[in-house]
């Protein structure tokens, strides 16, 4: 270990998140500098003043995310928490899948994954197509301009997730509020209140499905658990919360930002309109280019470890910039250019990497494929109805998005 760097050359860590000084759709320009000069750098969180290491190079990110010496446990004192989660809840609420380590994480993920297999997700495609067509029907009936977020981005995953999990349709606003708090800097009181409401609802649903099973995620989990009896109701609740959190907000913002990117690149939109059969490849590139969950993938070192030639001490937090990684020119040629024909985009890390790679990514990808191919086909004249710099981008959020996206045709 004697050749490792044991100190950051900067006396004062950079404030993080880094500022986006150019186009709001582009990564912070300082990422490119850091990748070349200081790929493992020291940062200080704007939210709470904690210090952590920032990774900006693709290979370093992938190396760290498969290294068992790094933990996803948000209760660890060194975890670089970026939102006001009430710490007193950590011992009372089962952690979500995202914040578990093996072997617990392995057992819980294996319980969930059969519900998110390629075959199961493809079986959901026809219903997803119906939901998307209904939303676009409503847009066309109203006539432009309309807000794409409220009329398409939000209802598609909300309706789909409620139907998948068996959550009553009338409760989707509660879950949207809860998920939004998870990725923004809401107050501890807001987090506690939303968590309590969600827990009560899920326990009621679990009790009901134990008596009257249905064709939904909760019923399937209960049936599978009945064969092994490994999980408590609180574990089932945590799995459902993980599913909703992973699938809902990622799809809402993926639709909004993806649509905005396509509207800013009409030649690429034309290509996708002409090649809907290659929508999977297009989603790879849109995910790489946008990387809407830039800095929400974080870990804490369980022991001293080396990443990118830098010594990271036990107890120190690490933040992965997925956006910087997905714009690494060592992996992606001309990375700041959107190219839906790009084959290497399938290697992007927008959905994470390793054992914590997004469990619901197949569902998210399928929904994005259906939304964009249908939207471009049915409203070929779609265009933005506001200046880019006037759009209300989500500030201080772990997942990039816009509150409203006015469009017309």
């Amino acid at each position: 270990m004697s050749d490792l760097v044991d100190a950051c050359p900067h006396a004062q860590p950079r404030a993080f998140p880094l500022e986006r000084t150019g186009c709001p759709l582009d990564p912070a320009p300082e990422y490119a500098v850091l990748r070349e000069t200081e790929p493992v750098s020291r940062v200080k969180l704007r939210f709470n003043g904690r210090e952590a290491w920032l990774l900006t190079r693709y290979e370093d990110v992938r190396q760290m995310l498969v290294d068992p010496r790094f933990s996803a446990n948000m209760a660890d004192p060194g975890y670089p928490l970026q939102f006001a989660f009430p710490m007193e809840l950590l011992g009372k609420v089962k952690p979500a899948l995202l914040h578990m380590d093996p072997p617990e994480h392995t057992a819980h993920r294996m319980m969930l994954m059969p519900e998110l297999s390629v075959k199961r997700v493809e079986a959901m495609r026809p219903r997803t197509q119906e939901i998307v067509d209904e939303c676009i029907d409503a847009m066309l009936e109203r006539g432009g301009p309309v807000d794409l977020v409220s009329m398409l981005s939000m209802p598609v995953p909300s309706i789909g997730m409620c139907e998948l999990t068996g959550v009553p349709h009338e409760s989707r606003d509660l879950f949207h509020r809860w998920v939004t708090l998870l990725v923004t800097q809401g107050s501890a009181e807001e987090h506690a209140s939303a968590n309590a409401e969600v827990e009560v609802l899920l326990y009621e649903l679990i009790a009901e499905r134990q008596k009257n099973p249905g064709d939904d995620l909760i019923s399937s989990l209960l049936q599978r658990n009945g064969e092994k009896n490994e999980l408590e109701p609180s574990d089932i609740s945590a799995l459902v919360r993980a599913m909703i959190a992973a699938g809902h907000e990622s799809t809402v913002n993926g639709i909004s930002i993806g649509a905005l990117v396509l509207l800013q690149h009409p030649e690429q939109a034309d290509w996708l309109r002409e090649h809907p059969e290659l929508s999977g490849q297009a989603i790879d590139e849109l995910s790489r280019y946008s990387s809407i969950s830039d800095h929400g993938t974080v870990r804490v070192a369980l022991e001293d470890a080396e990443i990118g030639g830098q010594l990271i001490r036990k107890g120190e937090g690490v933040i992965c910039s997925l956006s910087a990684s997905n714009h690494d020119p060592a992996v992606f040629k001309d990375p700041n250019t959107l190219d839906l024909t790009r084959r290497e985009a399938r290697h992007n890390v927008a959905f994470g990497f390793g054992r914590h790679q997004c469990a619901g990514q197949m569902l998210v990808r399928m929904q994005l494929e259906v939304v964009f191919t249908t939207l471009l086909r049915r409203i070929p004249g779609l265009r933005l109805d506001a200046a880019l710099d006037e759009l209300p981008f989500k500030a201080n959020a772990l997942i990039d998005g816009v509150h409203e996206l006015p469009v017309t045709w």
Side-chain angles (χ1 to χ4, degrees), residues 35-339:
R35 270 197 312 266
E36 293 296 321
T37 63
E38 198 181 343
V40 185
S41 58
R42 201 71 177 156
V43 295
K44 187 173 185 177
L45 301 181
R46 297 177 188 273
F47 167 61
N48 56 15
R50 288 186 181 181
E51 293 189 12
W53 294 101
L54 172 67
L55 308 185
T56 52
R57 200 162 54 187
Y58 179 88
E59 290 300 336
D60 293 341
V61 165
R62 283 167 55 105
Q63 176 191 342
M64 194 278 290
L65 290 178
V66 297
D67 193 326
R69 295 174 295 178
F70 291 89
S71 168
N73 180 14
M74 65 184 293
D76 189 292
Y79 186 91
L81 194 67
Q82 300 179 64
F83 55 92
F85 190 87
M87 304 308 289
E88 64 273 11
L89 286 181
L90 290 178
K92 301 177 182 179
V93 178
K94 284 279 186 177
L97 197 63
L98 181 65
H99 300 297
M100 291 180 182
D101 292 327
E104 184 182 29
H105 173 268
T106 306
H108 286 230
R109 187 179 175 99
M110 290 296 293
M111 187 72 71
L112 182 62
M113 289 312 294
E115 304 303 317
L116 298 168
S117 67
V118 173
K119 182 177 180 180
R120 292 294 294 271
V121 168
E122 280 303 307
M124 302 177 203
R125 189 180 289 266
R127 175 55 183 150
T128 302
Q129 184 67 64
E130 291 178 354
I131 295 170
V132 172
D133 278 324
E134 290 167 3
C135 291
I136 294 178
D137 286 343
M139 289 172 57
L140 292 171
E141 182 177 354
R142 176 174 296 186
V146 300
D147 172 28
L148 193 75
V149 174
S150 61
M151 298 203 71
L152 184 66
S153 303
M154 285 182 57
V156 169
S158 293
I159 296 171
M161 194 58 67
C162 284
E163 293 183 357
L164 171 64
T165 58
V167 171
H169 187 73
E170 60 269 19
S171 299
R172 70 180 189 177
D173 287 343
L174 164 61
F175 279 90
H176 177 71
R177 177 165 59 87
W178 171 71
V179 173
T180 300
L181 284 169
L182 286 180
V183 295
T184 59
Q185 293 184 7
S187 69
E189 292 75 17
E190 290 174 316
H191 277 281
S193 175
N195 267 288
E197 290 183 71
V198 167
E199 281 294 290
V200 169
L201 175 59
L202 288 180
Y203 278 122
E204 290 176 349
L205 287 173
I206 291 169
E208 170 61 25
R209 295 299 186 274
Q210 286 175 325
K211 297 177 182 178
N212 302 299
D215 184 21
D216 54 71
L217 177 67
I218 293 177
S219 298
S220 296
L221 289 173
L222 287 170
Q223 180 180 7
R224 190 171 297 111
N225 185 54
E227 301 167 358
K228 299 181 179 180
N229 199 29
E230 294 178 342
L231 306 183
E232 299 292 333
S234 58
D235 297 314
I236 301 293
S237 173
L239 281 173
V240 176
R241 285 189 288 117
M243 183 65 223
I244 294 172
H248 185 274
E249 194 70 4
S250 294
T251 309
V252 170
N253 293 305
I255 293 172
S256 300
I257 294 298
L260 179 55
V261 167
L262 289 172
L263 292 177
Q264 296 296 113
H265 297 82
E267 75 290 348
Q268 296 294 308
D270 289 341
W271 181 89
L272 180 53
R273 185 181 297 107
E274 295 167 3
H275 300 87
E277 74 281 3
L278 297 177
S279 59
Q281 176 179 304
I283 297 307
D284 285 336
E285 174 65 354
L286 281 170
S287 300
R288 181 203 69 82
Y289 183 85
S290 303
S291 302
I292 58 174
S293 181
D294 176 17
H295 52 86
T297 300
V298 300
R299 300 288 186 269
V300 60
L302 297 176
E303 59 183 86
D304 291 359
E306 174 195 355
I307 297 292
Q310 172 66 56
L311 176 62
I312 297 176
R313 295 291 188 184
K314 177 182 178 179
E316 292 182 332
V318 183
I319 301 170
C320 298
S321 171
L322 301 184
S323 180
S325 304
N326 281 334
H327 286 75
D328 189 338
V331 182
F332 306 103
K333 182 181 178 181
D334 196 11
N336 296 327
T337 297
L338 178 71
D339 180 4

